[in-house]
Amino acid sequence: MIEYERIEFKQLKESPLGECIDLASSALGSTIVAVTDEFFAPAINMINPLPPIHAPGKFVETGAWMDGWETRRHNPNHDWAIIKLGFPGSFRGFDIDTSYFTGNQAPFVSVEGTVISNNDKKEIQAITEIQWTEILPKVELLASQHNLFILKKESTVYTHLRLHNIPDGGIARFRAYGFIFPIWPKDINAVIDLAFCGNGGRVVKVSDQHYTPGSNILLPGRGKNMGDGWETKRSRTPDHTDYAIVRLGSKGHLLKAVVDTLHFCGNYPNKISLKVILSEHDKVPPHKDDDHTEWTTLIESASIGPNGLFSFDLPQANKTFSHAKIILIPDGGIKRLRLYGVREGALIPSLLPIDNLIIQ
C-alpha cells in the first residue's frame, strides 16, 4: 500500500518537496508523448514551468480558453496522458494544480511510472501495453487550487509517467517533484558540468527569489527570456549581496566557471564571486562568520556585463569540492551557472578550452 500525505501549498517550500526539482517540467525537456483526449486544451500546457494564467471572456473554437489540459465530458472510462521525462528520476510527491478550473476540474487522479530505455524500439502506441507501477494512488482533487501530495517513501527511478485523469476534466499544471538520476559518461575523466541539473546538481539554498527561482540557473540550454533565469529584488542596504548555494551532482575538481547573463541587459549584477566547500552535509553546508573559515574563494569580486557569457579559469583544481556558492554583488539576475570539471578520482586535465563547453 502506498502511503502519502496531503499538505497545503503554503507548506511546500518547508516540506521535503522544497528540496526537489519538477521532473515533469518542459524546461527540462519533458514532453507529452501520448494522450487520450485534449478536446478543450492540450496536455502540453500541464508541464509549462510558468504558473497558469486566467483569461475570463476569452473563447476559442471549442469553448472557453483554459491554460491547462482539459478533456471533453462524459468519458465512459477515463483519460490519461503519458509524459516522457527529460531526465530519469525518483519521486517524493506531486502537485496537481487545478487553478481556474472551478467546476470542470478532474475529480480524481492517479500517477504511474515506468522505465523505457532510449534503445527501446516500441512505438508510442505500445507504451500503454508495457507494465506500469503505481506511484500515487487515486486521490481526490479540489477545484481551483494546488493539490499537493507527499509520498512517505521516495519512489524508484522512472523515465516516463502516466497521469490518469479520472474520469475526465481539467488540470492546470502537473508538477512531479523528485531527484534526477544522473547518467555519467563511461569515461570517468570526461569533463562535465558538475552543477548542471541533468548531472544531479541542485540549488539547496537561495538568499532571495523575488522574481524568479535560483534553481533556474542549472537548467538546460540558455533559456528563452528573463523568466527562466534567477533574479533578485533591488537591494537598498550598503554592502548587500545575494547568493545561491549549489550542491554539485558529484564531488569533483572544478576547472572553469561560466556565468550567463543572456536577456539580463539592465539588471545583471555589477560583480559576482564564487566560493566552494567540501562538506559531507547533503543539503546546506555549515557556515562560519563571513564565510572565512569554511569556504574557499575561487572568483573574487569579478565584473560581468549584460546579455553575454563570462568564463573564468578556476584555481585550486587539485582540490575536491562538493558545494559552490555563486554570489551576486549587490543583486540582480543571471541566466545560467556552469561549473565544468571532473569527478573525484578522475585525471585532471592541464588545459580546458571553453569552446563546446557552454551549452548543455
Side-chain angles (χ1 to χ4, degrees), residues 81-148:
I82 294 175
I83 302 166
K84 179 182 179 182
L85 302 174
F87 300 98
S90 58
F91 296 91
R92 278 303 317 268
F94 303 92
D95 178 13
I96 300 95
D97 183 0
T98 57
S99 290
Y100 312 119
F101 288 89
T102 57
N104 52 346
Q105 79 279 0
F108 301 93
V109 296
S110 66
V111 181
E112 296 174 315
T114 193
V115 175
I116 301 175
S117 72
N118 290 332
N119 297 323
D120 200 316
K121 300 301 182 181
K122 290 184 175 66
E123 296 294 331
I124 293 300
Q125 291 83 349
I127 290 179
T128 58
E129 300 172 9
I130 68 174
Q131 183 175 355
W132 292 86
T133 301
E134 188 172 69
I135 306 173
L136 180 70
K138 183 179 177 180
V139 292
E140 182 180 5
L141 297 187
L142 303 180
S144 196
Q145 69 174 56
H146 294 269
N147 294 268
L148 278 99

Coordinates of all heavy atoms in Angstrom, one line a residue, residues 81-148:
A81 N -2.6 10.9 -19.7 CA -1.5 11.5 -20.6 C -0.2 10.9 -20.1 O 0.0 10.7 -18.9 CB -1.5 13.0 -20.4
I82 N 0.7 10.6 -21.1 CA 2.0 10.0 -20.8 C 3.1 11.1 -21.0 O 3.1 11.7 -22.0 CB 2.3 8.8 -21.6 CG1 1.3 7.6 -21.3 CG2 3.7 8.3 -21.5 CD1 1.4 6.4 -22.2
I83 N 3.9 11.2 -20.0 CA 5.0 12.2 -20.0 C 6.3 11.5 -20.1 O 6.6 10.6 -19.3 CB 5.0 13.1 -18.8 CG1 3.6 13.8 -18.7 CG2 6.1 14.1 -18.8 CD1 3.4 14.4 -17.3
K84 N 7.1 11.8 -21.2 CA 8.5 11.3 -21.2 C 9.3 12.3 -20.5 O 9.4 13.5 -20.9 CB 8.9 11.1 -22.7 CG 10.4 10.7 -22.8 CD 10.8 10.6 -24.3 CE 12.3 10.1 -24.4 NZ 12.7 10.1 -25.8
L85 N 10.0 11.9 -19.5 CA 10.8 12.8 -18.7 C 12.1 13.2 -19.4 O 12.7 12.4 -20.1 CB 11.2 12.2 -17.3 CG 10.0 11.7 -16.5 CD1 10.5 10.9 -15.3 CD2 9.1 12.9 -16.0
G86 N 12.4 14.5 -19.2 CA 13.7 15.0 -19.8 C 14.9 14.2 -19.2 O 15.9 14.0 -19.9
F87 N 14.8 13.9 -18.0 CA 15.8 13.1 -17.3 C 15.1 12.1 -16.4 O 14.1 12.4 -15.7 CB 16.7 14.0 -16.4 CG 17.4 15.1 -17.2 CD1 16.9 16.4 -17.2 CD2 18.6 14.8 -17.9 CE1 17.5 17.4 -18.0 CE2 19.2 15.8 -18.6 CZ 18.7 17.1 -18.6
P88 N 15.7 10.9 -16.3 CA 15.1 9.9 -15.4 C 15.3 10.3 -13.9 O 16.2 11.1 -13.6 CB 15.9 8.6 -15.7 CG 17.2 9.1 -16.3 CD 16.9 10.3 -17.0
G89 N 14.3 9.9 -13.1 CA 14.4 10.4 -11.7 C 13.5 9.6 -10.8 O 12.6 8.9 -11.2
S90 N 13.7 9.8 -9.5 CA 12.8 9.3 -8.5 C 11.9 10.4 -7.9 O 12.2 11.6 -8.1 CB 13.7 8.7 -7.3 OG 14.5 9.7 -6.8
F91 N 10.8 10.0 -7.2 CA 9.8 11.0 -6.9 C 9.5 11.0 -5.4 O 9.5 9.9 -4.8 CB 8.6 10.7 -7.7 CG 8.8 10.9 -9.2 CD1 9.2 9.9 -10.0 CD2 8.7 12.2 -9.7 CE1 9.4 10.1 -11.3 CE2 9.0 12.4 -11.1 CZ 9.3 11.3 -11.9
R92 N 9.3 12.2 -4.8 CA 8.8 12.4 -3.5 C 7.4 12.9 -3.3 O 6.8 12.8 -2.3 CB 9.7 13.4 -2.7 CG 11.0 12.8 -2.2 CD 10.9 11.6 -1.2 NE 9.8 11.7 -0.2 CZ 10.0 12.2 1.0 NH1 11.2 12.7 1.3 NH2 9.0 12.3 1.8
G93 N 6.8 13.4 -4.4 CA 5.5 13.9 -4.4 C 5.0 14.6 -5.6 O 5.8 14.8 -6.6
F94 N 3.8 15.1 -5.6 CA 3.2 15.7 -6.8 C 2.3 16.9 -6.4 O 1.7 16.9 -5.3 CB 2.3 14.7 -7.5 CG 3.1 13.4 -7.9 CD1 3.1 12.3 -7.1 CD2 3.8 13.4 -9.1 CE1 3.8 11.2 -7.4 CE2 4.5 12.3 -9.5 CZ 4.5 11.2 -8.6
D95 N 2.2 17.8 -7.3 CA 1.3 18.9 -7.2 C 0.4 18.9 -8.4 O 0.9 19.1 -9.5 CB 2.0 20.3 -7.1 CG 1.0 21.5 -7.0 OD1 -0.2 21.2 -6.8 OD2 1.5 22.6 -7.2
I96 N -0.9 18.6 -8.2 CA -1.8 18.6 -9.3 C -2.7 19.8 -9.1 O -3.6 19.9 -8.3 CB -2.7 17.3 -9.4 CG1 -1.8 16.1 -9.6 CG2 -3.7 17.4 -10.6 CD1 -1.4 15.4 -8.3
D97 N -2.3 20.9 -9.9 CA -2.9 22.2 -9.8 C -4.1 22.4 -10.7 O -4.1 22.2 -11.9 CB -1.8 23.2 -10.2 CG -2.2 24.7 -10.0 OD1 -3.3 24.9 -9.6 OD2 -1.4 25.5 -10.3
T98 N -5.2 22.7 -10.0 CA -6.5 22.9 -10.8 C -6.9 24.4 -10.9 O -8.1 24.7 -11.0 CB -7.6 22.1 -10.1 OG1 -7.8 22.5 -8.7 CG2 -7.4 20.6 -10.2
S99 N -5.9 25.3 -10.7 CA -6.2 26.7 -10.7 C -7.1 27.1 -11.9 O -6.8 26.7 -13.1 CB -4.9 27.5 -10.8 OG -4.2 27.4 -9.6
Y100 N -8.2 27.8 -11.6 CA -9.1 28.4 -12.6 C -10.1 27.3 -13.2 O -10.9 27.7 -14.0 CB -8.4 29.2 -13.7 CG -7.4 30.2 -13.1 CD1 -6.1 30.1 -13.4 CD2 -7.9 31.2 -12.2 CE1 -5.2 31.0 -12.9 CE2 -6.9 32.1 -11.6 CZ -5.6 32.0 -12.0 OH -4.7 32.8 -11.4
F101 N -9.9 26.1 -12.8 CA -10.9 25.1 -13.1 C -11.8 25.0 -11.9 O -11.5 24.3 -10.9 CB -10.2 23.7 -13.4 CG -9.5 23.7 -14.7 CD1 -8.2 24.1 -14.8 CD2 -10.1 23.3 -15.9 CE1 -7.5 24.1 -16.0 CE2 -9.5 23.3 -17.1 CZ -8.1 23.7 -17.2
T102 N -13.0 25.6 -12.0 CA -13.9 25.8 -10.8 C -15.0 24.8 -10.8 O -15.7 24.7 -9.7 CB -14.4 27.2 -10.8 OG1 -15.1 27.5 -12.1 CG2 -13.3 28.2 -10.7
G103 N -15.3 24.1 -11.8 CA -16.4 23.1 -11.8 C -16.1 22.1 -12.9 O -16.9 21.1 -13.1
N104 N -15.0 22.3 -13.6 CA -14.7 21.4 -14.7 C -13.3 20.7 -14.5 O -12.7 20.2 -15.4 CB -14.6 22.2 -16.0 CG -13.8 23.4 -16.0 OD1 -13.4 23.9 -14.9 ND2 -13.4 24.0 -17.1
Q105 N -12.9 20.7 -13.2 CA -11.6 20.1 -12.9 C -11.8 18.6 -12.9 O -12.9 18.0 -12.8 CB -11.1 20.5 -11.5 CG -11.7 19.9 -10.3 CD -13.0 20.5 -9.9 OE1 -13.5 21.4 -10.6 NE2 -13.6 19.9 -8.9
A106 N -10.7 17.9 -13.1 CA -10.7 16.4 -12.9 C -11.0 16.1 -11.5 O -10.4 16.6 -10.6 CB -9.3 15.8 -13.3
P107 N -12.0 15.2 -11.2 CA -12.4 14.9 -9.8 C -11.3 14.1 -9.1 O -11.1 14.3 -7.9 CB -13.7 14.1 -10.0 CG -14.2 14.4 -11.3 CD -13.0 14.6 -12.2
F108 N -10.7 13.2 -9.8 CA -9.7 12.3 -9.2 C -8.5 12.1 -10.2 O -8.7 12.3 -11.4 CB -10.3 10.9 -8.9 CG -11.4 11.0 -8.0 CD1 -12.7 11.0 -8.5 CD2 -11.2 10.9 -6.6 CE1 -13.8 11.1 -7.6 CE2 -12.3 11.0 -5.8 CZ -13.6 11.0 -6.3
V109 N -7.3 11.8 -9.7 CA -6.2 11.5 -10.5 C -5.4 10.3 -9.8 O -5.6 10.1 -8.6 CB -5.2 12.6 -10.7 CG1 -5.8 13.8 -11.5 CG2 -4.6 13.1 -9.4
S110 N -4.6 9.7 -10.6 CA -3.5 8.8 -10.0 C -2.3 8.9 -10.9 O -2.4 9.4 -12.1 CB -4.0 7.3 -9.9 OG -4.3 6.8 -11.2
V111 N -1.2 8.4 -10.4 CA 0.1 8.6 -11.2 C 0.8 7.2 -11.2 O 0.9 6.5 -10.2 CB 1.0 9.6 -10.6 CG1 2.3 9.8 -11.4 CG2 0.3 11.0 -10.5
E112 N 1.3 6.8 -12.4 CA 2.1 5.6 -12.5 C 3.4 6.0 -13.2 O 3.6 7.0 -13.8 CB 1.3 4.6 -13.4 CG 0.0 4.1 -12.9 CD -0.7 3.2 -13.9 OE1 -0.8 3.6 -15.1 OE2 -1.2 2.2 -13.4
G113 N 4.4 5.1 -13.1 CA 5.7 5.2 -13.7 C 6.1 4.0 -14.4 O 5.7 2.9 -14.1
T114 N 7.0 4.1 -15.3 CA 7.6 3.0 -16.0 C 9.0 3.4 -16.5 O 9.4 4.6 -16.5 CB 6.8 2.5 -17.2 OG1 7.3 1.2 -17.6 CG2 6.8 3.5 -18.3
V115 N 9.8 2.4 -16.9 CA 11.1 2.6 -17.5 C 11.2 2.1 -18.9 O 10.9 1.0 -19.2 CB 12.2 1.9 -16.6 CG1 13.6 2.1 -17.3 CG2 12.2 2.5 -15.2
I116 N 11.5 3.0 -19.8 CA 11.7 2.7 -21.2 C 13.1 3.2 -21.6 O 13.3 4.4 -21.5 CB 10.6 3.3 -22.1 CG1 9.2 2.8 -21.7 CG2 10.9 3.0 -23.6 CD1 8.1 3.5 -22.4
S117 N 13.9 2.3 -22.1 CA 15.3 2.7 -22.4 C 15.3 3.5 -23.7 O 14.4 3.4 -24.5 CB 16.2 1.5 -22.5 OG 15.9 0.8 -23.7
N118 N 16.3 4.3 -23.9 CA 16.5 5.1 -25.2 C 16.6 4.2 -26.4 O 16.3 4.6 -27.5 CB 17.7 6.0 -25.1 CG 17.4 7.2 -24.1 OD1 16.3 7.6 -23.9 ND2 18.5 7.7 -23.5
N119 N 17.0 2.9 -26.1 CA 17.2 2.0 -27.2 C 15.9 1.2 -27.5 O 15.9 0.3 -28.4 CB 18.4 1.0 -26.9 CG 19.7 1.8 -26.8 OD1 19.9 2.7 -27.5 ND2 20.5 1.3 -25.9
D120 N 14.9 1.4 -26.7 CA 13.6 0.7 -26.9 C 13.0 1.1 -28.2 O 12.8 2.3 -28.4 CB 12.7 0.9 -25.7 CG 11.6 -0.1 -25.6 OD1 11.1 -0.5 -26.7 OD2 11.4 -0.6 -24.5
K121 N 12.7 0.2 -29.1 CA 12.1 0.5 -30.4 C 10.6 0.5 -30.4 O 10.0 0.6 -31.5 CB 12.6 -0.6 -31.4 CG 14.2 -0.6 -31.6 CD 14.7 0.8 -32.0 CE 16.2 0.7 -32.1 NZ 16.8 2.0 -32.5
K122 N 9.9 0.3 -29.3 CA 8.5 0.3 -29.3 C 7.9 1.6 -29.8 O 8.4 2.7 -29.5 CB 8.0 0.0 -27.8 CG 8.2 -1.4 -27.3 CD 7.6 -1.5 -25.9 CE 7.7 -2.9 -25.4 NZ 9.1 -3.3 -25.1
E123 N 6.8 1.5 -30.5 CA 6.1 2.7 -31.0 C 5.4 3.2 -29.8 O 5.1 2.6 -28.8 CB 5.1 2.3 -32.1 CG 5.8 1.8 -33.4 CD 6.6 2.8 -34.1 OE1 6.3 4.0 -33.9 OE2 7.6 2.5 -34.7
I124 N 5.0 4.5 -29.9 CA 4.2 5.2 -28.8 C 3.0 4.4 -28.5 O 2.6 4.3 -27.3 CB 3.8 6.6 -29.2 CG1 5.1 7.5 -29.4 CG2 2.9 7.2 -28.2 CD1 5.9 7.6 -28.1
Q125 N 2.3 3.8 -29.5 CA 1.1 3.1 -29.2 C 1.4 1.9 -28.2 O 0.5 1.5 -27.5 CB 0.5 2.5 -30.5 CG -0.1 3.6 -31.4 CD 0.9 4.3 -32.2 OE1 2.1 4.1 -32.0 NE2 0.5 5.1 -33.2
A126 N 2.6 1.4 -28.3 CA 2.9 0.2 -27.4 C 3.3 0.6 -26.0 O 3.3 -0.3 -25.2 CB 4.0 -0.6 -28.1
I127 N 3.5 1.9 -25.8 CA 3.8 2.3 -24.4 C 2.8 1.9 -23.4 O 3.0 1.5 -22.3 CB 4.1 3.8 -24.4 CG1 5.4 4.2 -25.1 CG2 4.2 4.3 -22.9 CD1 5.7 5.6 -25.1
T128 N 1.5 2.0 -23.8 CA 0.4 1.7 -22.9 C 0.3 0.2 -22.7 O -0.4 -0.2 -21.8 CB -0.9 2.2 -23.5 OG1 -1.1 1.6 -24.8 CG2 -0.9 3.7 -23.7
E129 N 1.0 -0.6 -23.4 CA 0.9 -2.1 -23.2 C 2.0 -2.6 -22.3 O 1.9 -3.8 -21.9 CB 1.1 -2.7 -24.6 CG 0.0 -2.3 -25.6 CD 0.2 -2.9 -27.0 OE1 1.2 -3.7 -27.1 OE2 -0.5 -2.5 -27.9
I130 N 3.0 -1.8 -21.9 CA 4.0 -2.3 -21.1 C 3.6 -2.1 -19.6 O 2.6 -1.5 -19.3 CB 5.3 -1.5 -21.3 CG1 5.2 -0.1 -20.9 CG2 5.8 -1.6 -22.7 CD1 6.6 0.6 -20.9
Q131 N 4.4 -2.6 -18.7 CA 4.0 -2.7 -17.3 C 4.2 -1.3 -16.6 O 5.3 -0.7 -16.8 CB 4.8 -3.7 -16.5 CG 4.4 -3.9 -15.1 CD 5.1 -5.0 -14.4 OE1 5.9 -5.7 -15.0 NE2 4.9 -5.1 -13.1
W132 N 3.2 -0.8 -15.9 CA 3.2 0.4 -15.2 C 3.2 0.1 -13.7 O 2.5 -0.8 -13.3 CB 2.1 1.3 -15.6 CG 2.2 1.9 -17.0 CD1 1.7 1.2 -18.1 CD2 2.8 3.1 -17.4 NE1 2.0 2.0 -19.2 CE2 2.6 3.2 -18.8 CE3 3.4 4.1 -16.7 CZ2 3.1 4.2 -19.6 CZ3 3.9 5.2 -17.5 CH2 3.7 5.3 -18.9
T133 N 3.9 1.0 -12.9 CA 3.9 0.8 -11.5 C 3.2 2.0 -10.8 O 3.5 3.2 -11.2 CB 5.3 0.7 -10.9 OG1 5.9 -0.4 -11.5 CG2 5.3 0.6 -9.4
E134 N 2.2 1.8 -10.0 CA 1.5 2.9 -9.3 C 2.5 3.7 -8.4 O 3.1 3.0 -7.5 CB 0.3 2.4 -8.6 CG -0.6 3.5 -8.1 CD -1.9 3.0 -7.5 OE1 -1.9 2.4 -6.4 OE2 -3.0 3.3 -8.1
I135 N 2.5 5.0 -8.5 CA 3.3 5.8 -7.6 C 2.4 6.6 -6.6 O 2.7 6.6 -5.4 CB 4.2 6.8 -8.4 CG1 5.0 6.1 -9.4 CG2 5.1 7.6 -7.4 CD1 5.8 7.1 -10.4
L136 N 1.4 7.1 -7.1 CA 0.4 7.8 -6.3 C -1.0 7.2 -6.6 O -1.4 7.2 -7.7 CB 0.3 9.3 -6.6 CG -0.7 10.2 -5.9 CD1 -0.2 10.3 -4.4 CD2 -0.9 11.6 -6.5
P137 N -1.7 6.6 -5.6 CA -3.0 6.0 -5.8 C -4.0 7.1 -6.1 O -3.8 8.3 -6.1 CB -3.2 5.3 -4.5 CG -2.5 6.1 -3.5 CD -1.2 6.6 -4.2
K138 N -5.2 6.6 -6.4 CA -6.3 7.5 -6.8 C -6.6 8.5 -5.6 O -6.8 8.1 -4.5 CB -7.6 6.7 -7.1 CG -8.7 7.5 -7.5 CD -9.9 6.6 -7.8 CE -11.2 7.4 -8.2 NZ -12.3 6.5 -8.5
V139 N -6.5 9.8 -5.9 CA -6.7 10.8 -4.9 C -7.7 11.8 -5.5 O -7.9 12.0 -6.7 CB -5.4 11.6 -4.6 CG1 -4.5 10.6 -3.8 CG2 -4.7 12.2 -5.8
E140 N -8.4 12.5 -4.6 CA -9.4 13.5 -5.0 C -8.8 14.8 -5.2 O -7.8 15.2 -4.5 CB -10.5 13.6 -3.9 CG -11.6 14.6 -4.2 CD -12.7 14.7 -3.1 OE1 -12.5 14.1 -2.1 OE2 -13.7 15.4 -3.4
L141 N -9.3 15.6 -6.2 CA -8.8 16.9 -6.5 C -9.8 17.9 -6.1 O -11.0 17.7 -6.4 CB -8.5 17.1 -8.0 CG -7.3 16.2 -8.6 CD1 -7.1 16.7 -10.0 CD2 -6.1 16.3 -7.7
L142 N -9.4 19.0 -5.4 CA -10.3 20.1 -5.1 C -10.2 21.2 -6.2 O -9.1 21.3 -6.9 CB -9.9 20.7 -3.8 CG -9.9 19.7 -2.6 CD1 -9.5 20.4 -1.3 CD2 -11.3 19.0 -2.4
A143 N -11.2 21.9 -6.4 CA -11.3 22.9 -7.5 C -10.4 24.1 -7.3 O -10.2 24.5 -6.2 CB -12.8 23.3 -7.7
S144 N -9.8 24.6 -8.4 CA -9.1 25.8 -8.4 C -8.1 26.0 -7.3 O -8.1 27.0 -6.6 CB -10.1 27.0 -8.4 OG -9.4 28.2 -8.9
Q145 N -7.2 25.0 -7.1 CA -6.2 25.2 -6.1 C -5.1 24.1 -6.4 O -5.2 23.2 -7.1 CB -6.8 25.0 -4.7 CG -7.2 23.5 -4.4 CD -7.6 23.4 -2.9 OE1 -8.5 24.1 -2.5 NE2 -7.0 22.5 -2.2
H146 N -4.0 24.3 -5.7 CA -2.9 23.3 -5.7 C -3.3 22.1 -4.8 O -3.8 22.3 -3.7 CB -1.6 23.9 -5.1 CG -1.0 25.0 -5.9 ND1 -0.1 24.8 -6.9 CD2 -1.2 26.4 -5.9 CE1 0.3 26.0 -7.4 NE2 -0.4 26.9 -6.9
N147 N -3.1 20.9 -5.4 CA -3.4 19.7 -4.6 C -2.1 19.0 -4.5 O -1.6 18.3 -5.4 CB -4.4 18.8 -5.4 CG -5.8 19.5 -5.5 OD1 -6.6 19.2 -4.7 ND2 -6.0 20.3 -6.5
L148 N -1.4 19.1 -3.3 CA -0.1 18.6 -3.1 C -0.1 17.3 -2.2 O -0.8 17.2 -1.2 CB 0.8 19.6 -2.3 CG 1.4 20.7 -3.2 CD1 0.5 22.0 -3.2 CD2 2.8 21.0 -2.9

